[in-house]
Amino acid sequence: MADNHTKEQRSYNMSRICSKNNAPEEKVRKFLFSKGFRYRKNDKKLPGCPDIVLPKYKTVIFVNGCFWHKHNCKRFVWPSSNEEYWKKKILRNVERDELNIKGLKEPGWKVLVVWECELKKVAIDKRLETLVDEIRT
Ligand SMILES: [Zn+2]
């Protein structure tokens, strides 16, 4: 496949808030489905277009990439080139995340975040169990 995107377009596509389904999101969805949870995907009517919406529990779940959303973990490192560009971009994402979470919490949604690093093989089982507790409490 020819890649006609400029570098900037490409990174924009990768960081789009309402991105297409990707592997980490699908892992979480599959698990929840197997536990009997029913959800909506990528609800554009809600702030930030949450990846998973559980209306019955008035809960939304974001599955966040550690880099794009600046997780406080080993996976997040500032790129060593184009520093200004990345700083602006990532901090804008973080700011937008905060606004979206506020906009969801105000009308009473519970907002849960699952980070990409929590879905690594060694961590995923425990994280998904905890997630179920978080949804139910
Ligand atoms: Zn992380």
Side-chain angles (χ1 to χ4, degrees), residues 105-128:
K105 281 185 172 170
E106 265 167 13
W109 287 93
K110 178 156 67 180
V111 181
L112 303 176
V113 176
V114 175
W115 293 94
E116 207 181 347
C117 65
E118 297 175 319
L119 300 174
K120 281 187 299 189
K121 250 189 183 158
V122 289
I124 186 168
D125 291 345
K126 202 166 172 219
R127 180 61 184 110
L128 292 177

Side-chain angles (χ1 to χ4, degrees), residues 64-67 71-76 115-118:
N64 281 352
C66 298
F67 176 70
H71 192 208
N72 184 20
C73 77
K74 274 189 278 187
R75 285 199 172 194
F76 181 81
W115 293 94
E116 207 181 347
C117 65
E118 297 175 319

Side-chain angles (χ1 to χ4, degrees), residues 22-34 37 39 51-52 61-63 114-115 119 124 127-128 131 135:
N22 59 39
E25 288 162 24
E26 278 306 306
K27 274 186 206 166
V28 177
R29 288 188 186 124
K30 262 191 194 152
F31 175 82
L32 291 177
F33 193 85
S34 78
F37 290 99
Y39 48 79
D51 299 310
I52 300 168
I61 303 170
F62 290 100
V63 182
V114 175
W115 293 94
L119 300 174
I124 186 168
R127 180 61 184 110
L128 292 177
L131 183 66
I135 292 167

